[in-house]
Every structure is written in structure tokens, then in C-alpha cells.
Amino acid sequence: MNKSRKKLTVMTRVTILVTLMMLPLTSEAQRLLTLDSCRAMALRNNKQMGVAKMKQEVNANLRKSARTQYLPKVNAVGGYMWMSREISMLNDDQKEALSSLGTNATGKLQDALSPLVSVLPAATQAKMAGDMSQFAGTLNHVGAGLVDGFRTDTRNMFAGAVTVTQPVFMGGALVAANKIADINEQMAANSLEMKRQNTLYNIDQVYWQVVSLRHKQTLAESYVELVKKLKGDVQKMIDQGVATKGDGLSVSVRVNEAEMALTQVTDGLALSKMLLCQLIGLDEDEVITLADEESEEIRMNREELVVAEGGTSVAFQNRPELKVLENTVDLSRQTTNALKAGNLPTVLLTGGYMLSNPNTFNGFEKKFGGVWNVGVVVRVPVWNWGDAKYKVRASKGATAMANLELDDAREMISLQVRQNNFKVKEAQKKLTMAQSNVANADENLRMANLAFKEGTASFTTVMEAQTAWNAAQSQLIDAEIGVKLSEVELQKALGTLR
């Protein structure tokens, strides 16, 4: 680091120390945030992350539901029905004939025996007539009993049943449905991981943008001080008559430009902090300070990200986008298997207990009666005009398209890994060159200031040296931030952003 930046860093540390001493008085108005705390807050605040977690829970429950399809189902059903008329097993003529059975029978019998009866004594005829009348009444009573016995009394009907159904063979549909549920749960988890990495990536981008602008604000303040000091020196020269007012105006213009640049970077810093607050769930007016804002060097201790030939395979294993596409392919294949089941027979084992009131298990009884039952139901598709066949073909086409999209994504990710690996190396080279430029600019500014004091160089030489120093310092900040961002982009390309 150059002397000016070191001096500024010392002043900054003193400022931080004073701020920490006053922290009990300002703790409610300011927050000190690290990159990890910003990430954690962003993950908690991100609405899409919440939606993805809910989808994962939904698919977990659907997967549990699919498992139950292998198990027997028990159902109970009951009902009551009132009917305005009862069901009759006999018609009206039959009822009349049965009710008059004795009368009709004795009448015919009397007609047949009348020639014989007429020769009998009157007392005997009277006794036979009484016996016949009694016999007719008895038969009429029996006939009426038969009519009453055939009554169903179905105006009030009660019925109930408990059934058990056990799938035996469903053509592979149940297996496919369970695999689909598993894949959907995996897809939800991969989607959640994808949103998590995107959230971390966005937070890292904004976080380091804030750090960059804060360092550039500090640099702009230092540059303003430099040009103001030069303006004071030139003003003294004007007072002594060794410089013109035009020279003073040139320096004043440079001071205005420096102050304008400071204003712009200050506004940009405020807006970037507002965006960061919005992403991590804080009020946009919240006063925050990032842990890396005042660090002497933006680059922190880190493990070197070296991407060997296996870098692409690492990305293929870790990238959630690829996992989602692989889930899509597997889902399409299982959908095809489920559609194929439409052409296969299905077998169900059934059993249960049924009861009703009135019941017909012992004639028509006005009480509950039931029966156990066991059976097998077989459904065999005979002809559906090729409906299942066309659906299977369409599903296979969807699988082929999903495979093509997966291959295309692999090619793109392989290219991304190579590009980001190159960007990391390029950012490191730029950082090395920026550090060398800063050293040269420091020395150039020191020599220009010395020559200006000795009168062997003009103030324009100093301004040029100051401008070069400011540009070199700004490039160093950009290079340091570029290293961090290139590392983040490479981690995202590899799917290892944690």
C-alpha cells in the first residue's frame, strides 16, 4: 500500500475505534454486518426461498401419500332411504285370491258336492254347512297370512357396508407413481438449492459492490484533500506573483471535479446500501456498516480456487440446474411407464361385510341382516382406439426433448466453468498489475511533489501525478473486487457456492 493510503487507513482505524467506544450510544441506529450475516439474513428474508421450502414440504407429503397406494384401503358406507310405496312381490289379483282362498275353495267344493248333499238329512246338511264355513274361514286366514308374509315393507330402508380393497397388480402404475413422487421431492430440493445459490450470489455481488464504493469513497475523499492542498499551494504562488489566476482556475476546476466524483460515489454507496438492506430484510433507511468496508485490503485469506480437468465433472455433480433437468428426464420416463400401464390388465382383491334393514336372508325381515363377501376384480383393456399408444409416443418424445435440453445445459455449464476459470486467472493478473501500477503511481506522485516544492516542476505535473495516482488506486480497488467476484462466479459455475 502507498503512504497516503496507509495514512488514511490509520485515520480510519482511529475513527472505527472511536465509533466502537461510542457503540453503546448508537447501537440502535447502526448495524455491523459481515458477509456471512448478510447471507444468513438474505436466506431468511427471501420469499422465493420460502416458496421453495413449502414446495419441498408439499412434495414430501405427496411422496408419503404415494406410498400408501400399496396398502389395502378400508371404506365404510351407510345410508337411509324413504320410499312413498313399498315393493310388492304379489299383484292385486294374487292378493285378493289368497285372501279369499277359503271362500273360493268351499264354494267350489259345495258346488261339486251339492247333488250328494241334497239327499242327506237336514241336520246333517246343516252340520256340513257349518263345518264348510269354519273351514273357509280357516283357509281365508291362511291366505291372508301368506299375503302378509309377502309384504316387503321397503318404505324405510337402511343399508351399510364395510369394504376392503387391495391392489394386486396395476400394470406398473403404482410403481411409476411412487417413483414420480420421489423425483418430484428431489426436484423440489434441487430447486431450493438453486434458489439458495442464486440468493447467495446476488448478496455477494451487492455486498462487494458496497465495499468497492466505500473504498472508492475513501479514495475520493483522499483525492479531494490532495487537490485542495495543491490549490492552497497554487494560491500562495499566485499571491507571490509566480502563478497566474488562470493556473488557480485550472486547479479549482480539478477540485470541483474531485468533489463531484466524491458526491457521485457517495450517492452510489447510499443506493447500494439501500439495495442490500432490501435484500436482507432490513428497512431501507437502516444505517449499516459492512465488516470489509474499512479493511486495509479487500482481499481476505482464502483457499486458492484451482480448477483442474475435473472442474467440469465437479460442476456436473453439483450444479442444481443440471440436477433439476436430470429430474425432468427421469420424471418423463416414469410418466411413460405410467402410461404404458393403461394397456395392461389390473387385478384388485376385494372383501367386506354388507348389511341392510329390511333384509332378505331369511325372507323379508324387519331387522338388520348382513353377509361377508370376498372377490377378485380384473380389468382388461380391450380396445381404446390407440389412445394409450399415442400417449406413450408423446411421452417418449417429451423424454427425448428433455435429454436434449440436458445435453445443451451440460455444454453451456462446461463453457461457463472454463470461462470463469479464465476470469479468475485474469483477475489475479490484473490485481498484480494494479499493485505494480499503484507502487509506480505512489513514487511518481512523491517525486512530483518533491520537484514542485523544489521549483523544478509545475503544478500541472503534480495534477497529472495526482490524477494518475487516483486512477491507479481506483484500478486497484476494482482489481481487488474483481478477484472476489470472479471467485464467487466460479463457485457458482461449479455449484459449490456455500
Side-chain angles (χ1 to χ4, degrees), residues 378-397:
V378 179
R379 183 187 71 87
V380 180
V382 178
W383 184 254
N384 55 20
W385 302 99
D387 176 62
K389 178 180 67 175
Y390 298 139
K391 288 180 179 178
V392 169
R393 287 181 181 177
S395 183
K396 287 182 177 179

Side-chain angles (χ1 to χ4, degrees), residues 376-444:
V376 177
V377 178
V378 179
R379 183 187 71 87
V380 180
V382 178
W383 184 254
N384 55 20
W385 302 99
D387 176 62
K389 178 180 67 175
Y390 298 139
K391 288 180 179 178
V392 169
R393 287 181 181 177
S395 183
K396 287 182 177 179
T399 303
M401 289 188 293
N403 273 313
L404 290 175
E405 291 179 356
L406 177 60
D407 292 339
D408 184 59
R410 284 174 175 164
E411 293 176 0
M412 294 298 297
I413 287 175
S414 178
L415 178 62
Q416 285 179 4
V417 171
R418 294 190 180 93
Q419 289 176 337
N420 284 286
N421 184 32
F422 176 79
K423 287 180 180 179
V424 169
K425 296 177 180 178
E426 183 183 24
Q428 292 171 346
K429 291 179 182 178
K430 287 182 179 179
L431 178 60
T432 301
M433 290 187 292
Q435 290 171 337
S436 177
N437 290 339
V438 166
N440 294 333
D442 286 342
E443 181 62 18
N444 182 45

Side-chain angles (χ1 to χ4, degrees), residues 6 67 105 113 122 136 166 179 194-195 208 214 255-256 275 290 295 303 345 364 378 390:
K6 285 183 177 180
R67 293 290 188 273
L113 297 176
Q166 172 62 56
K179 289 183 178 180
M194 182 168 60
K195 288 182 172 60
W208 292 114
R214 181 67 185 91
V255 172
N256 291 336
L275 175 59
L290 304 186
S295 60
E303 297 180 358
F364 278 92
V378 179
Y390 298 139

Side-chain angles (χ1 to χ4, degrees), residues 30-42:
Q30 189 166 352
R31 285 176 180 258
L32 179 63
L33 301 174
T34 63
L35 178 58
D36 289 338
S37 63
C38 287
R39 284 179 165 189
M41 295 172 69

Side-chain angles (χ1 to χ4, degrees), residues 221-397:
E221 292 170 350
S222 179
Y223 182 60
V224 168
E225 292 178 2
L226 286 178
V227 293
K228 282 185 176 180
K229 183 178 180 300
L230 179 61
K231 179 180 178 180
D233 294 339
V234 172
Q235 185 60 45
K236 292 177 182 178
M237 295 173 63
I238 293 174
D239 295 340
Q240 294 173 1
V242 294
T244 65
K245 289 185 178 180
D247 296 334
L249 291 174
S250 298
V251 179
S252 296
V253 170
R254 188 58 57 88
V255 172
N256 291 336
E257 291 175 350
E259 290 178 342
M260 180 63 70
L262 175 59
T263 301
Q264 290 175 345
V265 74
T266 301
D267 293 342
L269 177 61
L271 292 174
S272 296
K273 284 191 174 183
M274 290 174 62
L275 175 59
L276 182 61
C277 288
Q278 190 270 332
L279 291 176
I280 63 179
L282 296 178
D283 188 80
E284 293 180 357
D285 297 328
E286 185 88 17
V287 179
I288 61 173
T289 301
L290 304 186
D292 294 293
E293 282 188 25
E294 310 299 345
S295 60
E296 184 175 348
E297 288 187 344
I298 297 174
R299 293 173 299 123
M300 300 182 296
N301 294 330
R302 59 179 176 83
E303 297 180 358
E304 292 291 335
L305 288 172
V306 179
V307 182
E309 292 181 357
T312 301
S313 62
V314 172
F316 287 170
Q317 293 175 359
N318 295 324
R319 283 292 290 267
E321 295 91 338
L322 279 181
K323 292 181 179 179
V324 169
L325 289 174
E326 290 171 354
N327 293 147
T328 303
V329 173
D330 294 337
L331 191 64
S332 181
R333 287 172 178 166
Q334 294 305 322
T335 301
T336 301
N337 293 336
L339 292 172
K340 287 180 179 179
N343 281 329
L344 300 176
T346 59
V347 181
L348 293 173
L349 179 64
T350 64
Y353 182 79
M354 297 184 298
L355 74 164
S356 64
N357 183 3
N359 71 85
T360 58
F361 300 111
N362 188 25
F364 278 92
E365 293 183 313
K366 191 63 177 180
K367 62 180 181 180
F368 282 100
V371 62
W372 294 94
N373 62 87
V374 177
V376 177
V377 178
V378 179
R379 183 187 71 87
V380 180
V382 178
W383 184 254
N384 55 20
W385 302 99
D387 176 62
K389 178 180 67 175
Y390 298 139
K391 288 180 179 178
V392 169
R393 287 181 181 177
S395 183
K396 287 182 177 179

